[in-house]
C-alpha cells in the first residue's frame, strides 16, 4: 500500500551520554581536551513532523551494562532488553518494513537479539513535538551511550494524475 507521508531527507539525531567534540583551533599546547562526555541522563527528542515516526536507537557502552533500554518519561513507554552488554558492544534497534529489528554487534559478529527484548516493552514511536527520553539499565547506565535518529514525516498530498 502507498505511504501517504512525506519523509524529510534530513535525519534528526539526538544523543544521551555521548561525547561532544571539544578540540578546536587555535590549539594551546599546555593541555588537550578532545571531547567532553555529555552527562545528561535525559534528552528532548523533538519531532517537527506532523505524525508519529519510527526511530533507530544505537546503544554503545564503555563498560559492562546490564539490561539496557530507553523510556519516554512522559508516557512511560519503553523498550528494554534482558541481556548484558560488554565493553565495545553495539546494540541497534530499528524498524525495517514496519517490523522491529534488534541486532547486537560483538567482536565484529552481528546477531539477532529480538528474542532478548523485555516482553513488556511498548515498542513506541516518536510523537510530533517533544519526546523526553531517558536511558535505563539495571546496572551500569552511566556507561551507556545512546544515539536516537529518525526522519520526520509530514502529511502529504497524493497527486491523482
Amino acid at each position: 500500500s502507498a505511504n501517504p507521508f512525506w519523509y524529510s531527507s534530513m535525519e534528526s539525531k539526538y544523543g544521551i551520554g555521548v561525547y561532544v567534540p571539544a578540540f578546536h583551533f587555535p590549539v594551546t599546547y599546555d593541555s588537550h581536551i578532545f571531547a567532553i562526555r555529555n552527562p545528561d541522563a535525559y534528552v528532548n527528542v523533538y519531532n517537527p513532523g506532523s505524525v508519529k515516526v519510527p526511530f533507530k536507537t544505537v546503544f554503545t557502552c564503555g563498560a559492562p551494562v546490564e539490561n539496557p533500554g530507553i523510556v519516554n518519561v512522559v508516557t512511560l513507554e519503553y523498550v528494554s532488553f534482558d541481556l548484558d552488554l560488554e565493553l565495545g558492544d553495539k546494540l541497534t534497534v530499528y524498524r525495517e518494513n514496519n517490523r522491529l529489528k534488534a541486532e547486537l554487534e560483538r567482536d565484529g559478529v552481528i546477531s539477532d537479539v529480538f528474542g532478548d527484548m523485555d516482553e513488556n516493552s511498548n515498542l513506541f514511536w516518536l510523537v510530533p513535538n517533544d519526546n523526553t527520553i531517558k536511558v535505563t539499565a539495571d546496572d551500569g547506565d552511566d556507561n551507556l551511550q545512546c544515539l536516537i535518529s529518525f526522519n520526520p514525516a509530514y502529511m502529504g498530498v497524493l497527486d491523482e494524475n
Side-chain angles (χ1 to χ4, degrees):
S1 72
N3 186 335
F5 304 116
W6 174 79
Y7 285 88
S8 172
S9 62
M10 296 291 294
E11 185 177 58
S12 296
K13 294 182 181 184
Y14 294 85
I16 305 172
V18 297
Y19 287 87
V20 179
F23 184 80
H24 45 87
F25 293 100
V27 176
T28 58
Y29 286 97
D30 49 340
S31 68
H32 290 300
I33 298 175
F34 292 99
I36 299 170
R37 187 169 191 266
N38 181 348
D40 293 341
Y42 301 85
V43 68
N44 181 36
V45 177
Y46 181 73
N47 175 5
S50 55
V51 295
K52 66 182 181 178
V53 292
F55 60 97
K56 177 180 179 180
T57 305
V58 179
F59 297 97
T60 55
C61 59
V65 175
E66 183 180 327
N67 302 333
I70 58 170
V71 62
N72 180 320
V73 299
V74 175
T75 65
L76 300 181
E77 295 171 304
Y78 71 95
V79 177
S80 180
F81 288 84
D82 297 325
L83 60 86
D84 295 338
L85 297 180
E86 300 173 2
L87 174 65
D89 283 355
K90 182 166 82 169
L91 172 62
T92 305
V93 184
Y94 62 100
R95 282 187 170 80
E96 184 177 273
N97 297 322
N98 220 18
R99 296 186 63 170
L100 194 69
K101 303 273 188 169
E103 298 173 342
L104 175 65
E105 183 178 344
R106 178 176 287 161
D107 299 325
V109 177
I110 298 175
S111 57
D112 181 357
V113 292
F114 183 83
D116 293 311
M117 188 180 307
D118 181 311
E119 63 186 25
N120 295 315
S121 289
N122 304 99
L123 315 179
F124 65 96
W125 292 41
L126 297 174
V127 298
N129 298 311
D130 298 324
N131 296 268
T132 306
I133 307 295
K134 179 181 192 256
V135 162
T136 63
D138 290 346
D139 189 35
D141 57 340
D142 288 343
N143 304 322
L144 201 54
Q145 296 174 37
C146 175
L147 185 64
I148 297 169
S149 58
F150 66 98
N151 292 80
Y154 303 89
M155 294 299 290
V157 177
L158 182 61
D159 183 5
E160 295 290 332
N161 295 327

